[in-house]
Amino acid sequence: MRTYLVTGGAGFIGSNYIHYMFKKYGDSIRIINVDKLTYAGNLENLKDIEDRDNYTFIRADICDAEAINKIFEENDIDRVVHFAAESHVDRSIKHPMVFVKTNVLGTVTMLNAAKAAWELPDGTYKPDHKFLHVSTDEVYGSLSNPEDYFYETTKYDPHSPYSASKASSDFFVKAYMDTYKFPANITNCSNNYGPYQFPEKLIPLTINNALHGKALPIYGDGKNIRDWLYVEDHAKGIDMVQEEGKLFETYNIGGHNERQNIQIVKTIIKTLQELLPDDDPRKKNVSEDLITYVTDRKGHDRRYAIAPDKIKAEVGWYPETCFEEGIKKTVKWYLEHEEWIDHCVSGDYQKYYEDMYKNR
Ligand code: NAD
Ligand code: DAU
């Protein structure tokens, strides 16, 4: 039975990936989820699979070399899928150091542990053992010409502390591949949306605020463009790259689905108006009147857009969920899981929200 070590599996994309993998492979794989459970990690995301015999959760910090080495010593790991990271750009602008620690040192700790466990005396590696590093399109910087796209060959040009830390982690993975022939792939994906996304990010924050009749903050002029991908399509892409991609290669993942932030927020308002029952008292509060333009994010990248040509040609991946369907499924999921959001926004979240949005 193949064993996967998933880091950051209690977060947004990691938990969706674990669900996807069990749906696809059932009992024929084993997953070990290693997560520190920071504010973004939430075991509620995995409630329905936590009792499976082929699933194990281990609470550990990816920077803790001793703990990570022990996991490799005690388990015959065939695949690493490395999601764990600090992921929110706004937080990185206020507190960059934790991004350096987790995203850079944590990634190198993971690389060292996998290399030590997989390397054979002759410098080759145990057959069919692979590491996949999950990264972001933000490492490529910002596009100004509307006809440009991010390709795997686009020069790295990160602007935020978050994207600089992810770029640095990508370079370490590349360095291990080049120097040690370490068996890895890198994926650089565009903005994900879907169930279990922490409500600090634009889409769940907008849904949550709209349901509470609170202002919907739009940074700057609202015309920054992101390229949105339904999270399950990302999970599928990661699995396909690991199984069918060429080792040592980078693959961009995205769906040619560019939208301005203001369009996203207006679509959410419209979708909530459609989905909320007429007798729900919140329905009357959900309107475009809640939209509030606030001071722009520092160093705010204008446009991201992925060219997914390589993953399509070499791996056969394409995004299955169109935005209209994906956003409806997402809003519906949040309406059906209000307790999940309530748990996220209790405690520290209120303080975070005050710090980030007060006087903005
Ligand atoms: P997230 O913030 O929702 O989840 C991150 C997870 O990592 C959490 O469960 C957290 O507890 C865990 N974690 C953080 N620090 C850790 C540490 N030191 N040790 C162990 N676990 C730790 O993030 P996400 O949105 O699910 O993103 C997952 C990965 O995908 C990240 O590497 C991110 O850079 C990348 N990515 C995200 C997007 C997106 O749109 N969200 C797009 C492209 C790439
Ligand atoms: O592109 C991939 C990246 O997408 C990932 O690597 C990151 O981990 C992920 O967080 C995401 O980064 P963004 O900064 O693009 O996502 P966020 O949801 O924070 O913001 C999306 C856009 O919406 C961005 O242009 C900023 C804007 N925004 C965001 C928030 C939270 C607002 O206008 N108002 C808000 O309140």
Side-chain angles (χ1 to χ4, degrees), residues 67-170:
I68 299 299
N69 284 327
K70 189 162 172 272
I71 296 168
F72 277 93
E73 279 157 22
E74 290 177 353
N75 300 278
D76 187 4
I77 309 285
D78 304 275
R79 299 276 188 275
V80 173
V81 182
H82 175 41
F83 293 96
E86 287 293 332
S87 68
H88 191 37
V89 174
D90 291 324
R91 288 188 194 251
S92 82
I93 293 166
K94 289 207 177 218
H95 304 289
M97 195 50 99
V98 64
F99 286 72
V100 178
K101 283 191 182 141
T102 294
N103 299 0
V104 186
L105 291 180
T107 297
V108 178
T109 305
M110 289 304 304
L111 290 167
N112 285 340
K115 180 173 174 289
W118 294 348
E119 198 169 15
L120 298 169
D122 66 357
T124 63
Y125 291 85
K126 288 185 183 172
D128 198 30
H129 284 57
K130 300 180 194 177
F131 188 107
L132 189 139
H133 176 61
V134 180
S135 192
T136 171
D137 59 359
E138 300 202 12
V139 297
Y140 298 122
S142 183
L143 296 165
S144 37
N145 180 347
E147 274 144 43
D148 283 349
Y149 291 92
F150 295 141
Y151 290 88
E152 288 77 1
T153 49
T154 302
K155 195 167 161 270
Y156 273 34
D157 183 22
H159 298 135
S160 71
Y162 164 69
S163 54
S165 70
K166 290 296 290 186
S168 172
S169 68
D170 291 10

Side-chain angles (χ1 to χ4, degrees), residues 214-230:
K214 282 174 68 175
L216 308 179
I218 305 266
Y219 300 165
D221 65 3
K223 291 185 180 161
N224 297 66
I225 291 172
R226 297 291 181 268
D227 181 358
W228 294 92
L229 181 70
Y230 192 63

Side-chain angles (χ1 to χ4, degrees), residues 88 90-91 94-95 198-200 205 208-209 214 217 219 294 345-360:
H88 191 37
D90 291 324
R91 288 188 194 251
K94 289 207 177 218
H95 304 289
F198 192 79
E200 64 189 351
L205 183 143
N208 183 50
N209 281 17
K214 282 174 68 175
Y219 300 165
V294 301
V345 301
S346 63
D348 288 351
Y349 182 85
Q350 301 304 334
K351 188 174 172 317
Y352 162 81
Y353 200 88
E354 280 265 303
D355 285 353
M356 199 60 79
Y357 292 94
K358 208 172 103 192
N359 305 325
R360 188 163 185 159

Side-chain angles (χ1 to χ4, degrees), residues 7-14 34-42 60-63 82-88 102 134-137 162 166 188-193 196-198 200-201 234:
T7 69
F12 163 48
I13 308 177
V34 175
D35 197 299
K36 184 182 176 183
L37 298 183
T38 66
Y39 77 93
N42 185 350
D61 186 333
I62 55 164
C63 301
H82 175 41
F83 293 96
E86 287 293 332
S87 68
H88 191 37
T102 294
V134 180
S135 192
T136 171
D137 59 359
Y162 164 69
K166 290 296 290 186
N188 293 89
C189 188
S190 62
N191 283 64
N192 284 216
Y193 69 100
Y196 304 116
Q197 189 169 29
F198 192 79
E200 64 189 351
K201 309 279 166 55
H234 185 188

Side-chain angles (χ1 to χ4, degrees), residues 6-26:
V6 174
T7 69
F12 163 48
I13 308 177
S15 60
N16 277 284
Y17 170 81
I18 292 174
H19 282 118
Y20 172 81
M21 293 296 278
F22 280 137
K23 211 160 68 182
K24 176 163 180 194
Y25 295 104

